[in-house]
Amino acid sequence: MTGLSRRHLRTAAATAATALAATALVAAPALIAAPARADVVVSAKQQGWVLRDAQGRQLTLRGFNVSASTKLNENSLLPFRSTADAAKSAQAMRDLTGSNAVRFLISWEGVQPAPDRIDYAYLDKAIAQIRAFTDRGINVLLDYHQDLYSAHLFNPGSWYTGDGAPKWVTDAGGYPTESCGICFTWGQNMQTNGAVRQAMYDFWRDRVVLTPAGPVAVQTAYLQQAQATMAYLKQRLPQQAFDSIVGMDPFNEPFDGGLDGKSGVDWEKNTLMPFYQRFRASMDQAGWTSKPAFVEPLVFWNTVLLEQGGMTKIAPLGARMVFNSHYYDGPRLSIDTSPATDGTYAEPINEIRQRAASLHTAPFISEFGYKLSGSGSDRTPWMIRSMYQAMDAGASGKNWWNAPSTGGDPLSAIQWHWDIYSGRHHELMNGNPGKVQTDGDGWNDEDFSVIKTNDAGEITLRLDQRVLDRLYPDAISGDSLAFAYEDLARSGYAGTGQQQPWLIAPSSMPDLSTLVQNRQYGVLVWRSGTSGAPTELHLPQSLAPAGTTVVSDLATLTGLPASGPVSTAPETGSTTAKRLRLAAPPSSGVHVALIVNTATGTPPTQAQLTAARTQLTTWLTQKFPTP
């Protein structure tokens, strides 16, 4: 340590980092301020916590991560190679799936390539790509992404690689030669790779390292560059685009690196939460006070058996942080060969809802998904379908009508992932020209992208569109009480496989049951709010307005008009995607809407619709009695 005490090094590092942040703020050119509006906020409701928009409507954010290409040097550590590619991707996402949110990945290495430099050219490219989404009405969760801490811990011949920390950090750390040992998945490096674990351990303990620019405390440097990034984005983004950023994910998939004899939940309390509190302070100093931090628990919590975590020993998070979990089916990714079906994921997804409620904040899933090629990928379509079912309803379809409020609110969730370069990469793994990665995601043999670009340059879906383009409540005026959706997605790829309904209407409602039989349909129950703004749901392409029937206490009709209490409108930023608008009078009580795809089959008669409405309103009174 060149004779300097650890205290002197830490003080010098903090001073250098503070100076770096100050330089960053001065260097960022000013932008003329536009009229501000309220950000997306975390809000309490009668039961649980939710996200709300500027009009007080309860939000459901749905979309995709963009993208794992941020991990690749071929993309200069950005999701897209150009702003044009970002715009093409955003347009396709809005048109094909009606998504209203993305998790946008950026890289510490991209932002801070040297200890004394912020790369504003990198940030300008990221800003242009972010605007491709915000200009189309898509909200953005910004994510500082890392996996296995850094690519620079791995040697050119390694089986695996990482992403995140810059080379100057790992060079200064002096870490041992990496080795995962006998590892079947890249994630095992978190538990067995000495270099990865030691580097992560040092980060959490803010180790001071000697760099060409002097001593640097690693975590402090990370926080300072993040503050500089957030301040620059606030200055450079137009107000409307900045308002569309819902918050920041401070650190993707945190893992311990060493528990020092403590439990996982103690590590979260004593090590992870202090970091999140420091990051929250950096957000405030950068002018992001009104935006929540989307904080993640220990990476393997709720994914593999017996994993500790879930923030069970920390104080309530409140409105300034969101409980942000990932969900992957660890057993089916490894040893469980069974398929997923109706209700498979209700319990683990509800655990995320319950953890957030106990922490007095909103739940969020910023990653979920499953592989689209290789062993076990034949199960993927219904695994994804079952995950969405759990996030919509939190209950199996066979039980939902009898206990519709069991699962709680529709859960905001961002699928992993959306990569327009899927299967067309050219990444030199760990810089090795003898290991060029082209297949799948171009990274650690993963293949999770739900899209690809064909030879004609068109973006196409790799999964049944009925799985990905879903009916969901984008904004509920008031509070949601229950929601469920029957997508009728097939179990195979490209329209193959079995079609089986999961959401079965009970025989006690014979006319309603006949109306929805073998048809896509959804049900929303909500208590109207005070704002008078409409409740809005995304209408998937398969529910074209002309062939959609709505049975509601507000109105009952087949074919959706452009005005009235039940109407349709274009999705912002799309000429093809549509949304359903339900206009209930302010503070008018509990309402229900049954939305059915009646484009095929025998058209319903008015008498059938009237009978179905009577049965639906009777059910509503029984299941949601007025206090």
Side-chain angles (χ1 to χ4, degrees):
M1 303 293 280
T2 66
L4 290 175
S5 71
R6 186 174 180 86
R7 178 177 63 81
H8 287 144
L9 286 175
R10 188 179 299 276
T11 301
T15 302
T18 301
L20 172 61
T23 301
L25 299 181
V26 171
L31 185 73
I32 297 175
R37 64 172 177 82
D39 292 288
V40 171
V41 297
V42 180
S43 170
K45 55 180 286 190
Q46 215 168 32
Q47 292 183 345
W49 292 65
V50 295
L51 299 175
R52 294 193 187 276
D53 69 5
Q55 296 171 294
R57 296 183 297 179
Q58 180 180 326
L59 293 177
T60 307
L61 300 178
R62 293 285 175 88
F64 300 88
N65 281 264
V66 291
S67 81
S69 289
T70 299
K71 305 176 185 183
L72 307 181
N73 284 296
E74 69 167 358
N75 272 29
S76 302
L77 306 177
L78 286 162
F80 303 99
R81 296 168 191 166
S82 67
T83 305
D85 280 358
K88 180 179 180 180
S89 183
Q91 192 66 57
M93 187 184 297
R94 198 65 160 141
D95 293 344
L96 294 173
T97 71
S99 295
N100 66 357
V102 295
R103 181 171 177 246
F104 188 100
L105 279 59
I106 59 171
S107 165
W108 179 13
E109 181 181 0
V111 173
Q112 191 179 19
D116 54 356
R117 183 165 69 90
I118 297 293
D119 188 343
Y120 289 106
Y122 174 86
L123 290 177
D124 285 337
K125 292 175 183 177
I127 286 168
Q129 293 182 15
I130 288 169
R131 289 193 61 184
F133 290 89
T134 59
D135 287 353
R136 289 163 176 80
I138 298 175
N139 298 287
V140 172
L141 171 62
L142 204 64
D143 164 48
Y144 261 104
H145 209 81
Q146 73 79 36
D147 298 280
L148 308 182
Y149 192 67
S150 174
H152 301 291
L153 292 171
F154 294 84
N155 64 71
S158 178
W159 288 5
Y160 302 108
T161 190
D163 66 285
K167 188 175 186 296
W168 62 264
V169 172
T170 58
D171 284 350
Y175 298 111
T177 302
E178 60 85 16
S179 174
C180 189
I182 302 174
C183 289
F184 298 100
T185 65
W186 67 261
Q188 290 176 261
N189 282 273
M190 298 181 220
Q191 299 166 320
T192 64
N193 191 321
V196 170
R197 289 184 63 77
Q198 183 61 51
M200 194 75 264
Y201 184 94
D202 288 349
F203 177 85
W204 296 125
R205 286 149 187 83
D206 204 14
R207 177 189 171 192
V208 177
V209 297
L210 291 174
T211 76
V216 172
V218 179
Q219 186 183 117
T220 297
Y222 179 86
L223 293 165
Q224 293 290 353
Q225 62 82 31
Q227 181 180 330
T229 291
M230 289 184 284
Y232 190 69
L233 264 61
K234 187 175 190 300
Q235 284 188 314
R236 298 292 290 174
L237 283 168
Q239 190 65 48
Q240 181 180 4
F242 183 68
D243 289 340
S244 296
I245 295 182
V246 298
M248 176 72 82
D249 187 336
F251 199 91
N252 175 69
E253 296 186 349
F255 61 100
D256 56 88
L259 293 172
D260 290 333
K262 304 293 185 180
S263 68
V265 290
D266 286 330
W267 180 85
E268 286 180 329
K269 177 182 178 181
N270 299 323
T271 302
L272 185 60
M273 278 309 301
F275 165 73
Y276 285 150
Q277 289 159 357
R278 294 185 76 190
F279 198 97
R280 177 67 265 182
S282 295
M283 292 178 69
D284 295 343
Q285 292 164 15
W288 289 46
T289 307
S290 60
K291 299 182 186 296
F294 285 68
V295 299
E296 301 184 28
L298 259 171
V299 58
F300 292 120
W301 176 77
N302 204 31
T303 297
V304 299
L305 297 175
L306 305 177
E307 176 66 23
Q308 294 183 348
M311 301 183 176
T312 57
K313 287 192 175 183
I314 68 170
L317 295 174
R320 285 166 53 77
M321 293 186 184
V322 170
F323 182 68
N324 172 22
S325 180
H326 292 181
Y327 184 72
Y328 291 102
D329 188 338
R332 285 184 175 82
L333 279 167
S334 53
I335 59 174
D336 185 351
T337 59
S338 66
T341 186
D342 177 27
T344 295
Y345 296 112
E347 182 177 350
I349 298 299
N350 284 342
E351 177 66 13
I352 294 170
R353 289 182 171 97
Q354 292 156 10
R355 282 276 66 235
S358 70
L359 290 165
H360 295 184
T361 191
F364 194 89
I365 298 178
S366 60
E367 284 190 29
F368 70 97
Y370 199 71
K371 57 188 175 182
L372 274 79
S373 64
S375 176
S377 60
D378 57 315
R379 300 176 297 171
T380 298
W382 273 14
M383 289 178 69
I384 301 301
R385 179 190 183 192
S386 189
M387 289 178 189
Y388 273 115
Q389 180 199 46
M391 292 181 291
D392 287 343
S396 65
K398 65 182 179 183
N399 295 327
W400 185 84
W401 280 98
N402 291 323
S405 58
T406 301
D409 296 298
L411 209 161
S412 293
I414 308 294
Q415 188 171 347
W416 185 269
H417 72 114
W418 185 277
D419 176 18
I420 64 172
Y421 312 113
S422 174
R424 296 172 179 267
H425 291 287
H426 194 273
E427 176 72 2
L428 277 60
M429 185 174 180
N430 298 315
N432 186 343
K435 297 187 73 172
V436 180
Q437 307 297 297
T438 59
D439 296 339
D441 303 340
W443 192 84
N444 281 346
D445 294 326
E446 288 199 342
D447 184 15
F448 278 66
S449 176
V450 301
I451 60 163
K452 64 180 180 180
T453 302
N454 64 22
D455 291 341
E458 301 165 331
I459 296 174
T460 61
L461 298 176
R462 299 175 68 197
L463 280 176
D464 187 344
Q465 189 167 11
R466 292 190 173 201
V467 173
L468 303 174
D469 185 21
R470 307 180 62 80
L471 182 77
Y472 70 91
D474 177 278
I476 298 171
S477 184
D479 294 334
S480 94
L481 299 178
F483 174 71
Y485 177 50
E486 173 54 72
D487 56 41
L488 281 184
R490 291 189 176 274
S491 61
Y493 293 85
T496 65
Q498 181 182 5
Q499 179 174 291
Q500 177 183 322
W502 290 348
L503 185 62
I504 308 298
S507 58
S508 59
M509 296 188 285
D511 295 284
L512 187 149
S513 181
T514 298
L515 176 63
V516 303
Q517 187 173 11
N518 294 321
R519 283 170 163 157
Q520 290 178 294
Y521 76 96
V523 187
L524 174 65
V525 182
W526 78 104
R527 181 180 288 107
S528 63
T530 60
S531 72
T535 289
E536 298 183 318
L537 298 91
H538 169 67
L539 278 177
Q541 286 187 19
S542 54
L543 271 73
T548 297
T549 293
V550 174
V551 178
S552 172
D553 61 296
L554 302 177
T556 297
L557 52 102
T558 296
L560 302 178
S563 62
V566 175
S567 63
T568 188
E571 288 281 19
T572 302
S574 176
T575 58
T576 58
K578 306 292 182 184
R579 62 176 52 200
L580 173 66
R581 297 163 64 94
L582 304 171
S587 304
S588 54
V590 176
H591 301 277
V592 63
L594 171 73
I595 304 107
V596 189
N597 181 358
T598 51
T600 59
T602 304
T605 66
Q606 190 58 49
Q608 289 173 322
L609 295 180
T610 300
R613 177 175 177 172
T614 299
Q615 292 162 13
L616 183 65
T617 53
T618 299
W619 171 85
L620 180 69
T621 302
Q622 293 171 345
K623 301 300 180 182
F624 301 92
T626 303

